[in-house]
Amino acid sequence: MHSLSLRGNGALRRPFLLPLLAFVLLLIGMPEALAHGVPEGDKGFIQESTGVLLVPFVYMGAKHMITGYDHLLFLFGVIFFLYRLKDVGLYVTLFAVGHSITLLFGVLSSISISPYVIDAIIGFSVVYKALDNLGAFQRWFDYQPDTRAATLIFGLLHGFGLATKIQEFEISPDGLIANLIAFNVGVEIGQLLALGTILILMGYWRRTASFWRHAYTANVAMMSAGFLLMGYQLTGLIVSQ
């Protein structure tokens, strides 16, 4: 897997930085509902529904992934230097398996973890992947962590984020397993749709001369967004005590 020198190449002074910084600043004002929070309409539906409702739960799962900017930031970092579809498929599958296991296990076993802690860890996963892309671990420690294992581990943590939120609702046990599976299928559908869009845009970008000039800047901006997410969630944890 490719990585970049931490020294960069002057990309931070280029105009491409502006839209990236705008995205990072946008994260500051994003409400919690766009991360692992659930919109009020969906929240009411989940609390009032009974029985097997596959299509609505598939829809809500897909919407959660498409609007889950923390998930997408991490996956963006994962595929940043992946060019072969089989490699993309491998890492996406690892993430999906981890996400699915903890989503289902967390809800069914009623394991409760503070959503602030989980979301802070997810923010850290974005920072980790950006540093990995920048070649930080090789430069600082002369060691390259197993990217596949890291993707699976962070997939497990991401799944706990949503499982923790779902447990806050009084979801009916009638049809619970089927609805959870449908929700998870929706999450994976949303993931494929989002990644498909990202890969198309990345494909166009990689064919331009600006890709290698701005790849460093993109990963620095992604790392900054991860730190912002961590700070936001840790602040929420302190305030909620």
Side-chain angles (χ1 to χ4, degrees), residues 51-195:
V52 177
L53 300 167
L54 300 183
V55 174
F57 276 88
V58 168
Y59 167 76
M60 286 188 292
K63 184 170 71 171
H64 165 76
M65 175 55 74
I66 291 175
T67 59
Y69 58 84
D70 50 356
H71 288 299
L72 298 181
L73 271 175
F74 178 73
L75 290 174
F76 172 70
V78 168
I79 68 172
F80 197 90
F81 288 119
L82 296 181
Y83 292 85
R84 296 182 299 181
L85 284 179
K86 71 174 185 178
D87 292 331
V88 174
L90 171 62
Y91 282 94
V92 170
T93 299
L94 288 171
F95 183 81
V97 168
H99 188 280
S100 302
I101 290 173
T102 48
L103 170 61
L104 297 172
F105 178 74
V107 175
L108 295 177
S109 62
S110 299
I111 294 179
S112 180
I113 303 175
S114 169
Y116 291 112
V117 173
I118 290 294
D119 285 347
I121 294 174
I122 291 174
F124 172 75
S125 74
V126 175
V127 173
Y128 167 88
K129 192 57 201 158
L131 287 173
D132 187 28
N133 288 346
L134 291 168
F137 303 113
Q138 291 178 331
R139 185 178 181 85
W140 294 343
F141 310 112
D142 194 26
Y143 172 74
Q144 176 58 50
D146 189 331
T147 308
R148 290 170 297 183
T151 301
L152 176 62
I153 291 170
F154 283 124
L156 292 168
L157 294 170
H158 280 232
F160 262 126
L162 183 57
T164 299
K165 283 294 181 182
I166 290 179
Q167 289 179 68
E168 295 178 0
F169 310 138
E170 296 178 358
I171 185 170
S172 171
D174 183 15
L176 174 61
I177 295 179
N179 289 336
L180 284 178
I181 293 175
F183 188 93
N184 196 65
V185 169
V187 166
E188 306 314 328
I189 291 174
Q191 177 176 277
L192 290 175
L193 291 174
L195 279 179

Side-chain angles (χ1 to χ4, degrees), residues 212-225:
W212 285 105
R213 292 200 307 269
H214 300 318
Y216 176 82
T217 307
N219 280 278
V220 169
M222 183 172 67
M223 181 172 59
S224 301

